[in-house]
Amino acid sequence: MQIKSVRRATATAAVLGAVLVTLSACEASPSGGAKNGLPGPHTRPPEAARAAGAGPAGQPDRPAPVGDPGRLPGVGEQWQALIPDHSGQVVAVYGEGRDSADATVVLYTRQAGGWQPVGSWPAHNGRAGWSTDHYAGDGRSPVGVFTVTDAGGVLPDPGTRLSYAQGRDLYTPPHYWSPAYRHDFDYVIAIDYNRLRGTPPHDTTHPWGDGRGGGIWLHLDHGSGTSACIGLPREAMVYLLRTLDPALEPVVVMGDRPSLRS
């Protein structure tokens, strides 16, 4: 009986430890460090990135950038070239400035006339802004184009076509986090940045090394900047989960507006 109790306690501690390591990657508390890193195996930094995709949403709450309908609005040549021709959905994260935590997320779908906005929401990015050379703990979100393949969260699958890993033990923030962040990970979508595609969001494998971070997600917004993730309203996360289609090879295009236009 005593042996069983010890084994049970050991197993519980191991699970808790894994959860804390995972959540520390996206921890949004002002006093917490982030583990957010280099692009994953299918992406590269700005000078040589890789990407994929786009998807639907509600009507934009502010005018989307205008331009050539065959090109993603507000996105310059170097980033445009990283969106594969066969991608059909893009989640564009337009940061308000290099050092700003405020952003707007627009969901685009590729249609006959080009990229069309189908939804837009206010959002937050890294509390310190954006970086084209992101490191763990810098408080900035990485600028780039990244695939999205896997999702999960505390709550059950709302009806997504992405791979979904649900588990209260996997995504519930530690008790010592501020109550404001308690529901951040009810739903998450992993951004393929220094992670293995096809693995659950809580997987902590960082192919480019822990120093360059990892664990960068789209997740529920708590009303302020994050460690590097993108915070969105609950209705936006549910919509994205139900709309993003792996068959359309969706991607996230993210950065501050000046950097994206470059």
Side-chain angles (χ1 to χ4, degrees):
M1 218 34 199
Q2 186 176 7
I3 293 176
K4 289 184 178 180
S5 298
V6 171
R7 288 175 176 170
R8 191 179 303 115
T10 301
T12 301
V15 170
L16 179 59
V19 171
L20 295 182
V21 169
T22 299
L23 296 185
S24 68
C26 219
E27 194 260 300
S29 167
S31 62
K35 267 195 157 186
N36 312 292
L38 199 67
H42 289 75
T43 62
R44 291 292 185 275
E47 62 273 14
R50 295 291 178 272
Q59 291 304 311
D61 59 5
R62 60 175 291 168
V66 295
D68 182 346
R71 302 176 61 81
L72 195 69
V75 177
E77 185 66 34
Q78 69 163 327
W79 303 114
Q80 189 76 39
L82 300 177
I83 303 173
D85 294 338
H86 51 273
S87 293
Q89 296 178 315
V90 167
V91 179
V93 183
Y94 297 106
E96 294 306 316
R98 185 181 184 279
D99 300 321
S100 173
D102 297 324
T104 298
V105 170
V106 181
L107 181 61
Y108 292 95
T109 59
R110 193 193 294 272
Q111 300 177 15
W115 292 108
Q116 299 297 322
V118 292
S120 178
W121 306 271
H124 289 97
N125 49 264
R127 71 178 65 90
W130 297 88
S131 175
T132 56
D133 187 25
H134 173 73
Y135 283 84
D138 65 7
R140 295 179 179 272
S141 296
V143 179
V145 182
F146 310 101
T147 57
V148 287
T149 54
D150 307 285
V154 173
L155 300 180
D157 181 354
T160 186
R161 280 167 283 191
L162 299 174
S163 172
Y164 193 88
Q166 186 263 335
R168 184 170 299 277
D169 291 339
L170 296 175
Y171 298 101
T172 298
H175 66 86
Y176 51 82
W177 281 23
S178 166
Y181 310 136
R182 200 60 50 77
H183 294 283
D184 279 14
F185 310 135
D186 281 0
Y187 295 118
V188 307
I189 298 174
I191 295 172
D192 292 336
Y193 185 94
N194 197 22
R195 70 180 300 271
L196 295 178
R197 294 179 56 175
T199 61
H202 60 270
D203 185 277
T204 57
T205 304
H206 298 150
W208 292 51
D210 290 345
R212 299 307 301 267
I216 300 179
W217 301 340
L218 302 174
H219 63 61
L220 269 62
D221 189 33
H222 53 254
S224 63
T226 70
S227 289
C229 296
I230 307 300
L232 289 155
R234 180 177 296 269
E235 62 272 18
M237 286 299 299
V238 172
Y239 192 91
L240 290 174
L241 283 166
R242 291 175 175 172
T243 303
L244 294 178
D245 185 351
L248 298 178
E249 301 190 37
V251 294
V252 172
V253 178
M254 55 193 280
D256 57 288
R257 292 178 185 271
S259 293
L260 288 179
R261 285 195 298 267
S262 66

